[in-house]
Amino acid sequence: MQFALTVPTVKDRVVQTALCLLLMPLGEADFHPQSHGFRPKRRAQQAIDGMVQGVHQGYTEIIDADLTKYFDTIPHRGLMRMVAKRVSDGSILRLIKSWLRAPVVEEDKDGTKRVIPNRCGTPQGGVISPLLANVYLNPLDHGVNQKCMGKARMVRYADDFVIMCRVGQAQEIRERTRKWLTAKGLKLNEGKTRLVDIRQEGINFLGFNLTWRKSLKRLRYVHVEPNQKSRQALREHLGQILNHWNRWKAVNEVVKEANQLLRGWAGYFHYRNSTSVMSGMKRYSRDRLRRWIWRKHDCKRGLWNSCSDEQLHAHYGLYALPTTAAWKAH
């Protein structure tokens, strides 16, 4: 197995951060409102809102796009041409180019290192890479949302994006997108890119699952909740914290670690229609901690009599996932 070391030195990271602060206002003046990744005062939930709004406005056929190794395949020449449209200082352009062309050091399992020239792509460990990645896809944001106005609408978060289309327009828009990406040296992953009619099938985006449902008042709406993969990831991470090999740890130490995980998960996923999922994951976190404490202390009493829900939260301090209505919590 090989490991690619693409993280810049501390000195380079400092300079990249300073340059990012300088170039970010220029990018913000150009970036499309439906681009949400790695931008100030923007978050993934706003991208979800954009999708929901589009569906309610009739864009129900969705191209769930997947780019093949986007960050690793951005052509340097094309990227530098786009940067040069907004940056005229030659020293800054040379500095950015030097970062892009910096060789990659690959290390084998036995410690053998090789230096490989970097002819395309932006180093994913670089501070400036997300900004450059947004610059390169910005014309696609504007092209779909302006030139295809009335036919399609695109929502993007970094290299994850969906194109919502009017009924009957998706095939044409997909082909035009594929040709545009090919011309820019990028590749659409045909195996993972899907065309979904949200009225018939749900779609996963940025950890959420969106489905077309009917409310109690018989009104159609887009239901948004954490998807199965996100829930399973939380279960697995909790399982790693509350496992038999950690029984030697103090309870308060383990609970603190679990709470950090639960708070972070809730901070992202407590949004829109997440109440039911939050309730289920709250029960799961209680049960997992209860079993861990029961086994740690070799309890002789029945499992469900050893720790009540109130004890888990009040005495042990387990964070209670929010179960209040969260139609729009951010």
Side-chain angles (χ1 to χ4, degrees):
M1 185 178 178
Q2 296 177 338
F3 302 91
L5 306 178
T6 59
V7 179
T9 63
V10 174
K11 190 175 183 180
D12 277 343
R13 289 180 66 84
V14 172
V15 177
Q16 286 188 21
T17 301
L19 189 56
C20 259
L21 294 174
L22 179 66
L23 298 181
M24 184 64 74
L26 298 178
E28 286 298 306
D30 292 336
F31 292 156
H32 195 275
Q34 291 294 0
S35 168
H36 301 278
F38 305 116
R39 296 181 60 187
K41 298 182 180 180
R42 290 181 180 268
R43 58 179 76 91
Q45 289 80 2
Q46 291 172 311
I48 298 297
D49 289 343
M51 283 191 67
V52 172
Q53 184 183 40
V55 172
H56 282 299
Q57 291 178 354
Y59 298 88
T60 54
E61 288 188 355
I62 301 176
I63 302 170
D64 183 10
D66 184 86
L67 293 179
T68 302
K69 297 181 179 179
Y70 172 59
F71 283 88
D72 296 332
T73 57
I74 300 176
H76 291 168
R77 182 175 297 179
L79 175 58
M80 290 305 302
R81 278 200 299 264
M82 295 190 63
V83 174
K85 290 179 180 179
R86 295 291 288 173
V87 179
S88 59
D89 192 315
S91 60
I92 292 181
L93 293 175
R94 286 192 295 272
L95 186 60
I96 294 175
K97 187 176 181 179
S98 69
W99 287 327
L100 293 174
R101 298 300 297 272
V104 176
V105 179
E106 287 192 349
E107 183 176 351
D108 291 332
K109 222 172 181 179
D110 60 3
T112 304
K113 294 182 179 180
R114 288 183 302 278
V115 178
I116 301 175
N118 184 21
R119 295 185 174 89
C120 66
T122 61
Q124 294 196 43
V127 178
I128 201 170
S129 292
L131 175 61
L132 297 177
N134 273 337
V135 167
Y136 200 66
L137 279 183
N138 188 49
L140 181 62
D141 297 330
H142 286 276
V144 174
N145 287 297
Q146 293 175 5
K147 294 182 180 179
C148 298
M149 187 178 296
K151 292 183 178 180
R153 182 177 298 177
M154 177 173 164
V155 176
R156 183 171 65 85
Y157 190 92
D159 58 335
D160 292 327
F161 67 89
V162 294
I163 301 177
M164 299 169 290
C165 308
R166 297 284 187 188
V167 176
Q169 301 291 332
Q171 290 290 359
E172 176 193 349
I173 299 297
R174 176 174 175 168
E175 183 60 21
R176 290 173 62 179
T177 302
R178 186 189 65 78
K179 289 180 179 179
W180 187 93
L181 292 170
T182 302
K184 296 296 182 181
L186 305 175
K187 186 178 180 181
L188 196 64
N189 189 328
E190 300 292 347
K192 293 184 178 180
T193 298
R194 302 188 309 138
L195 200 163
V196 176
D197 187 333
I198 198 170
R199 297 169 300 178
Q200 308 296 329
E201 181 182 359
I203 185 172
N204 292 321
F205 187 56
L206 301 178
F208 290 92
N209 178 256
L210 291 80
T211 52
W212 188 240
R213 297 189 184 182
K214 188 178 291 186
S215 69
L216 296 176
K217 296 181 179 179
R218 314 297 292 176
L219 299 176
R220 292 288 184 179
Y221 75 103
V222 181
H223 185 90
V224 180
E225 65 181 17
N227 64 22
Q228 289 291 344
K229 187 176 180 180
S230 302
R231 300 181 218 177
Q232 184 60 29
L234 178 60
R235 295 188 189 100
E236 290 175 357
H237 290 156
L238 273 177
Q240 293 170 5
I241 297 171
L242 301 169
N243 210 304
H244 61 88
W245 58 68
N246 288 334
R247 287 186 209 162
W248 59 272
K249 291 184 177 181
V251 176
N252 61 347
E253 181 183 349
V254 172
V255 169
K256 181 180 179 181
E257 190 175 349
N259 284 349
Q260 289 176 342
L261 173 65
L262 292 169
R263 284 194 178 94
W265 199 85
Y268 183 86
F269 287 110
H270 185 223
Y271 196 66
R272 287 192 173 263
N273 316 106
S274 63
T275 303
S276 177
V277 172
M278 286 290 168
S279 297
M281 299 311 297
K282 183 177 182 179
R283 289 192 297 271
Y284 180 85
S285 62
R286 286 170 173 171
D287 294 346
R288 193 80 199 199
L289 178 59
R290 183 182 287 113
R291 288 178 183 275
W292 186 85
I293 294 174
W294 185 72
R295 288 168 178 163
K296 175 181 174 65
H297 297 302
D298 294 322
C299 291
K300 304 302 181 182
R301 294 184 298 166
L303 171 64
W304 304 108
N305 295 324
S306 59
C307 284
S308 66
D309 293 343
E310 290 73 18
Q311 283 180 300
L312 291 173
H313 296 298
H315 180 69
Y316 292 107
L318 177 66
Y319 174 73
L321 287 169
T323 54
T324 54
W327 186 80
K328 291 182 76 170
H330 295 264

